[in-house]
Each structure stands twice: as C-alpha cells, then as structure tokens.
Amino acid sequence: MLSPIIIGQVIVNGLSLSAIYVLIALGFTLLFGIMRVVNFAHGAFAMLGGYALYYLYGKYALPYPLAVPLAALIVAVLSLVLETLVFRWFYQKMFQSMIGLLGLNMALMFSSVIVWDVYERSIPPAFSGVLRLGGLILAADRLMVIGIAIIALLAFWLFMTKTRYGVAMRATADDVEIAEAQGIDTRTIYRLAFLVAIFMTALAGGLYAQIYALSPFMGERPLIVAFVVVILGGMGSIPGAALGGVILGFTESILSTFYGAAVSSFVSFGVVIALLIFRPWGLLGKPE
Amino acid sequence: MPLLALNNLNVRYGQIVGTSDLSLSLEAGEILALVGSNGAGKSSTLKAILGMAPYRSGKILWQGKDLKGRKPSEIVREGIGFSPEGRRVFASLTVLENLNIGAYSRDANEAAERIEQIYTYFPRLRERSGQRASSLSGGEQQMLAIGRALMSRPKLFLLDEPSLGLAPIVVERIGDILKEIQAREALAVILAEQNANWALALADRAVILELGQKTAEGPSADLLRDPKVQSAYLGI
C-alpha cells in the first residue's frame, strides 16, 4: 500500500492543501485578532477570488504568474468598499459581527448567483504535467500551488516583521487603545489589515477553485476550513493559523488517501471538538 | 500662554464622574504631580488630554489650541507622549519594536538616533533589545513604557502610575532617571501617582484630587508641609 507513488501523492496533496488552508486561515485570524470580527463572509471572498482568477486567467488568458496575484489584489481593493459600508461598523463587536457578516455572506453568494448563475465552472490548470523525482510522481499544478503559497507567506512574514506598517499592525492587535495613544492611526491600520486579509483569502480562493471547482457556493468549504484551522491553532494567533493549516492539510491528505473523504472529515472535526473541550483556546492561542 | 490649560473639565463615563470642573495649567519644563487615591480622576484627566476619554464640557488648550475632537494619534503628533497605567507595553513585540512604535509619528532616521538616547537613559533596555516585552520584569516594562512614550520627543509627557506594583528601590531608580531626562530635555511632565511622597519629591507643583475635584494645589514643598495633606496622603 505504501508505494512511492502514493507517498509522493500524500505529501504533495498534504502540502498544497496545507498551503491553501494556511492562507485562508491567516486572513480569518488577522480579522479576528486585530478587529475582533468573526468573518462569516470569509468563504464569499474566497469565492470572489475564484471568479477573479477565472476571468483573468481562464478568459482573458493573462500570464499565470501575473493573473494569480492580480486577481487577489482586485478582489481585495474592491472589497474596501465593503469595509467602509459593512465591516467597520462591527469592529471590536464580536457577536454583532457574526450576525452582520453572516448576512453579508448571503448577499455576496446570491448576488453571485444572479451574475454568474449556479453552475460550476472550471479554471484551466496552469500546468498539466507531472514531475518525476526518483520514484515519486508529483503533479505539477499542485507544486505550483505550494510555490505560490510559500511566496505569499514569506512576503506576509516579511511585511509583519520588517516593515513599520506590519509592526504597527501587530501592536494594534496587542492593544488597540494604546497603539492609537502612541501615534498609530488605527483606522488606517484596520483598513490595511483588512486589505491584507482579503488578499490572502482571495488568493487561496483562486487556487482552491482551480483545484476543485468554481461556483457561487464554493465558499462554504473554505469558511469551515477557516473555522477549524483557527480554532485548532488558537483564535487570533498567526503562528496558530500556520500550525493549524498544516495539521488539517496533512490529516485530510493522509486520511482521505487511505480511508476516504468521509473518514477524513469525521476525524478532523472530532479532533476539533475534543480540542474545544480540553483546550478551548487552541494549540497556540491564549486562554482568555 | 501656558503649555497646557484645562478649563472646567468634566469627564463623564455615562453616569460615572471622571473629573468635575477641573482646571489646571502647566508651563513648559514643569513637573506637575496629580495626587489622589484610586478613582480620584487622575487617569481620567490624562486620558482626556490625550483624547482617550470623553468630556462633556470644559476645554483643553494645548499651546492655546483647542484639542476637542482630535484623535489620540493626532494629539501625539502635537508633541504629547503617554505612558499608561499598568504600563501596557506591546507584549508580543520586542523591546526594540516597542520603542519604534513610539516613534511611529516620526521619520525612521530620527527614530534610530532617538533609540540610542533612550538606551543611554535605560541601559537595561539595550540589553533586552531583542526580547519580547512580555518577558521583562515589571520595572523593566515600566522603563520600556516610559522610553516608548519619549521616542516621539514630546514636549509634554503624561505619566500614569509608574510606581504601581514596583519594589521601592526600582521606584527610586525610575525617579532618578526621570529627573535626569526632565532636566536634559526641558520636558514638561504630568505625573499621576498614588504614592504621594514620591510624587511630591519629584514634582515642582502638585494638584490633589478627590472624586474628580481639585482639593488642594500648590508648590510641592508647601503641600509636603500641609497638615491635611500629610494626614491624608503622606501617612504622617
């Protein structure tokens, strides 16, 4: 059963799933950690990322390395309108944000049905070949996903640790009142955090839609993934989102290869429920 | 014109009184102590100056300019630095990152130079520069909170309860450094403090607050000799 082909497949699938999950969960945890909003509309932004990539790459045939970041950027920038109209009213209001953003999720989903209809589309793969590495056979498009995610995560890490806006964002996450009292315009930092969070989510959504399928309802799974990963890692914790994403990605990859997708879902959610009982603040979160 | 003037300031949190009809003024380079027990309105006064507490009526004039309605981040840019009660350093940031945040409203070249100066005042912070603020002791965190507030080269420094929870020897040390900084930079300071002995020893002038109202005011030396102040705040 453990042939090199299967091992290679488990690793590459695990890594590419992890990569997408980490990106989705990072966006979710940023919005929660800094603005205290629980983004129930998270999956809808992933879905919009999928449609943006569908148009830029699938329809207008922009070069793939350009289309991927550009699609995410367009979604993120246009979403700033929603930040002004909807999100900012729910900052630091966790419970209200859940209801409000659940509504926004519906609005975005069904607006998409009106615009794009309900049927599934597909985004053509960027590469169709396989890479042979010793005895391993690796799917090239999955490797591409891993590469893009690694670049995005590296850029995110550099931004958060090396730039003054990134450090200000972390300070704001620690203590928003004092950040403002030290001269940080926290309103601007909130908008920036929102932009970064939606960018990563839309980026992940594009990759996700390309691997699976694109439809107005595709956001459901990314939303659940965001919840599971972030609860696993700890709400608002950035390292937690990374750890949670990798754990979920590999668990799913291994279990669904050997035991099927149903078992994989059962175990993933079982672990999360157990965790919520014994360590409700997650692996790397802080008890409140 | 005074550097800062509060005229009949009324801070309210819903029904709760922060300050009532509080007036005071401060000259450049002066240290003013706000002395009073918990809930006397010391923090409310500082927060109102910085735009962090709502006031129903009254005026806060900074070099003659009304600060009403300005955001804290804008008021900091005017030249006011703030070290909050309980220190509230950014726990997950390093010491160096905390200091850099203090200079957020200034340009980066200035900040590098200023950090050197802060490290000269507080050599302990240089040793801990790469460590997370959460790993510092209480005294070190207080030094960091002061250093962070001074990064923006303020003209006025609002310092809230720096002695809280610190060992007497650490409090003395912080007082000495404050004196040194204040003399060197001609900084005006408002020091809100429960430890009246220590605050009056540091300050030129003091205001005694009770339930948001001013009950005494004068040069520190006079207040130190005032029998009422002695029995209520100095434990004599």
Side-chain angles (χ1 to χ4, degrees), chain B residues 4 39-40 58 75 110 131 189 208 232:
Chain B
L4 179 81
I75 293 174
E110 260 180 84
Q131 272 176 245
V189 181
I208 312 272

Short mmCIF file of all heavy atoms in Angstrom, two decimals, chain B residues 4 39-40 58 75 110 131 189 208 232:
data_model
loop_
_atom_site.label_atom_id
_atom_site.label_comp_id
_atom_site.label_asym_id
_atom_site.label_seq_id
_atom_site.Cartn_x
_atom_site.Cartn_y
_atom_site.Cartn_z
N LEU B 4 -0.09 73.98 28.56
CA LEU B 4 -1.36 73.25 28.59
C LEU B 4 -2.27 73.88 29.63
O LEU B 4 -1.82 74.23 30.71
CB LEU B 4 -1.10 71.78 28.97
CG LEU B 4 -2.35 70.90 29.07
CD1 LEU B 4 -2.79 70.44 27.69
CD2 LEU B 4 -2.09 69.69 29.96
N GLY B 39 -9.53 56.24 41.69
CA GLY B 39 -10.83 56.80 41.33
C GLY B 39 -10.95 58.29 41.57
O GLY B 39 -12.02 58.86 41.47
N ALA B 40 -9.83 58.96 41.89
CA ALA B 40 -9.88 60.40 42.16
C ALA B 40 -9.95 61.22 40.88
O ALA B 40 -10.26 62.41 40.92
CB ALA B 40 -8.66 60.82 42.98
N GLY B 58 -16.14 71.86 29.16
CA GLY B 58 -14.80 72.32 29.50
C GLY B 58 -13.89 72.31 28.29
O GLY B 58 -14.30 71.86 27.21
N ILE B 75 -3.11 63.84 18.46
CA ILE B 75 -2.63 64.61 19.62
C ILE B 75 -1.18 64.25 19.94
O ILE B 75 -0.38 65.12 20.29
CB ILE B 75 -3.58 64.39 20.82
CG1 ILE B 75 -4.94 65.03 20.48
CG2 ILE B 75 -3.01 64.99 22.10
CD1 ILE B 75 -6.02 64.80 21.50
N GLU B 110 15.30 59.67 12.37
CA GLU B 110 15.19 60.26 13.70
C GLU B 110 15.05 59.19 14.76
O GLU B 110 15.64 59.31 15.84
CB GLU B 110 13.94 61.16 13.75
CG GLU B 110 14.21 62.63 13.60
CD GLU B 110 12.90 63.39 13.68
OE1 GLU B 110 12.46 63.67 14.79
OE2 GLU B 110 12.31 63.66 12.61
N GLN B 131 14.44 41.01 23.05
CA GLN B 131 13.50 40.16 23.78
C GLN B 131 12.07 40.67 23.65
O GLN B 131 11.84 41.86 23.52
CB GLN B 131 13.86 40.18 25.27
CG GLN B 131 14.85 39.14 25.67
CD GLN B 131 15.22 39.28 27.14
OE1 GLN B 131 16.35 39.58 27.46
NE2 GLN B 131 14.25 39.09 28.03
N VAL B 189 6.10 67.52 32.53
CA VAL B 189 5.59 66.20 32.90
C VAL B 189 4.34 66.36 33.75
O VAL B 189 4.30 67.22 34.64
CB VAL B 189 6.65 65.41 33.72
CG1 VAL B 189 6.11 64.02 34.09
CG2 VAL B 189 7.95 65.28 32.96
N ILE B 208 -3.99 68.11 44.24
CA ILE B 208 -4.58 66.98 44.95
C ILE B 208 -6.01 66.81 44.46
O ILE B 208 -6.78 67.77 44.41
CB ILE B 208 -4.60 67.23 46.47
CG1 ILE B 208 -3.25 67.74 46.98
CG2 ILE B 208 -5.09 65.98 47.21
CD1 ILE B 208 -2.25 66.72 47.37
N ALA B 232 -3.70 62.88 55.13
CA ALA B 232 -4.50 62.13 54.17
C ALA B 232 -3.64 61.32 53.20
O ALA B 232 -4.03 60.23 52.79
CB ALA B 232 -5.40 63.08 53.39
#
